Amino acid sequence: MKTIAQTLTALSLSAMLPTAHAAAPIELCKILRSFADSIPPNSEQEFTYRISWGENFKDSQEAVLGAKRCEHNGYEPARNICSYLMKHASIKSAGVVVMQAVSCLSRKSRFDPSLKIHSADLSFSYGGRNRGALIDVTYEEDIKVGGMALRLVATGY
């Protein structure tokens, strides 16, 4: 009986502790890395993942609790990222997607489990010394469209 009580107490206490952000899904990392690897030198590609929580985007009249969309400019590797995000990413926690994208492309980067991202502007390199891409990640409120926009731009070198 004592063991059951101790187990229940431990479970109750662990439920009150902040939970760690799950590691970036392997599939997301694969498609993000494929995107970054696909950028030729002196070329630039991007995608923008947009979310709106509590209302729709300004260019849509339909009343919704939340909305998401993704722009890929017709670039197939970016389209793959958009397809993944539209299917798997949460409307309420796009900041987690920012952390996952950075962790996938900057493999030694880790984030504190209690971190909540409300905006971000990050730049780092991906790849090797002689071949790779410069990655710029922004996450901010989009006054024109509404909601929040996660934009990732990769410039090949």
Side-chain angles (χ1 to χ4, degrees), residues 41-153:
N42 303 314
S43 180
E44 182 177 284
Q45 292 293 337
E46 68 181 76
F47 69 89
T48 304
Y49 174 63
R50 300 178 184 280
I51 57 113
S52 181
W53 179 244
E55 60 187 357
N56 212 335
F57 297 107
K58 292 180 179 181
D59 61 356
S60 184
Q61 301 303 317
E62 182 183 2
V64 296
L65 183 57
K68 61 183 173 178
R69 62 171 70 154
C70 195
E71 300 152 7
H72 50 73
N73 301 317
Y75 187 61
E76 189 62 29
R79 181 189 323 264
N80 294 338
I81 295 167
C82 284
S83 294
Y84 179 90
L85 293 174
M86 292 301 291
K87 184 174 181 180
H88 299 287
S90 169
I91 294 172
K92 296 191 295 185
S93 57
V96 171
V97 177
V98 173
M99 291 184 273
Q100 290 174 336
V102 171
S103 293
C104 288
L105 297 174
S106 178
R107 295 179 188 201
K108 292 184 180 180
S109 295
R110 298 291 175 259
F111 296 92
D112 185 280
S114 64
L115 180 67
K116 293 191 185 332
I117 295 181
H118 300 284
S119 66
D121 188 357
L122 307 164
S123 295
F124 55 93
S125 61
Y126 168 85
R129 185 175 182 181
N130 297 316
R131 175 75 178 93
L134 299 174
I135 307 293
D136 291 311
V137 178
T138 57
Y139 178 61
E140 61 191 357
E141 185 177 0
D142 189 325
I143 304 299
K144 183 178 178 185
V145 177
M148 298 293 288
L150 163 59
R151 182 173 179 237
L152 190 145
V153 179

